[in-house]
Amino acid sequence: MDENMGNDTLNLPQEEYEPVVSQPVNMSMLEAEITICAFDIGEDHVFKTCYGDICKTVNALRDYSRILEMSCETWDLQGYHKTLYELHAQKLREIAGKLQAGIGYDYDAAVGKCKKRLAKKNRDDDPGGEALAMSYIKSQRMAAKEKEAAAKKAEAGLPVAAHTDPDDPCVNANLKL
């Protein structure tokens, strides 16, 4: 057995493997029920599942096949172990392909959408943020705008309020603690 294969010597760099296993799952169409028939030599097996479960299964199979291939490179596997990992990865992709074709799901398109969404600039006023933090950020923006307006008034020769310190809680009424 390869010396890199021992359980106590696993060296999986988090920055490489975490993006593979921590991808979001599309939650649409989860309530639709799907019947799956599996044929075996002795008997047929029928079970019911939903679209979302099949999507998660496809995602898991594709992600695991990618992890197997990455492990070959990371651990510098050779010979039997490398071939075994590559064959398992190929078979997992084939199974995932059958499942996604059966339900009309496209793993690569889903990953592309996810990458696009992650590439978008995060907004400070996201309603998912904590209310206090969002309030603080909003007050800082408003204070900066007020400061700009005061500077423009001063340039134009218009009177400016004497006390406009944005950090003063008495002046900045938008920040309520």
Side-chain angles (χ1 to χ4, degrees):
M1 187 164 159
D2 194 346
E3 62 190 39
N4 292 331
M5 295 299 296
N7 287 338
D8 52 340
T9 62
L10 290 179
N11 183 14
L12 301 175
Q14 183 176 358
E15 62 277 354
E16 243 180 272
Y17 286 84
E18 185 177 12
V20 176
V21 296
S22 64
Q23 296 179 7
V25 175
N26 182 5
M27 300 300 280
S28 64
M29 297 173 31
L30 290 180
E31 67 277 351
E33 194 172 86
I34 298 171
T35 302
I36 295 183
C37 300
F39 304 106
D40 196 1
I41 293 176
E43 61 185 284
D44 296 341
H45 304 280
V46 177
F47 62 94
K48 293 183 180 189
T49 187
C50 65
Y51 180 86
D53 288 348
I54 302 297
C55 289
K56 289 177 210 165
T57 304
V58 169
N59 292 344
L61 291 171
R62 290 286 303 266
D63 291 344
Y64 189 62
S65 70
R66 191 164 153 220
I67 288 171
L68 287 173
E69 291 169 342
M70 290 168 59
S71 298
C72 289
E73 294 171 15
T74 303
W75 293 336
D76 193 29
L77 295 179
Q78 303 295 321
Y80 171 77
H81 292 295
K82 182 176 183 179
T83 304
L84 183 66
Y85 277 38
E86 289 172 346
L87 286 174
H88 282 297
Q90 179 184 357
K91 189 62 179 174
L92 291 173
R93 279 193 306 277
E94 288 174 14
I95 295 168
K98 287 178 192 176
L99 291 173
Q100 68 183 359
I103 62 169
Y105 177 70
D106 186 0
Y107 174 85
D108 296 319
V111 169
K113 283 181 189 177
C114 181
K115 286 181 179 179
K116 255 188 200 178
R117 204 175 356 200
L118 290 174
K120 285 184 180 177
K121 181 181 173 187
N122 290 336
R123 294 177 34 185
D124 293 335
D125 54 355
D126 179 15
E130 293 185 33
L132 186 59
M134 303 313 289
S135 174
Y136 177 74
I137 291 169
K138 186 175 181 180
S139 70
Q140 293 299 316
R141 285 184 183 160
M142 292 181 70
K145 285 181 183 178
E146 288 173 8
K147 211 174 206 180
E148 285 179 27
K152 286 180 182 178
K153 282 184 180 180
E155 286 177 10
L158 298 172
V160 179
H163 188 65
T164 59
D165 181 13
D167 295 327
D168 186 351
C170 296
V171 173
N172 193 354
N174 292 323
L175 180 61
K176 297 177 181 171
L177 301 176

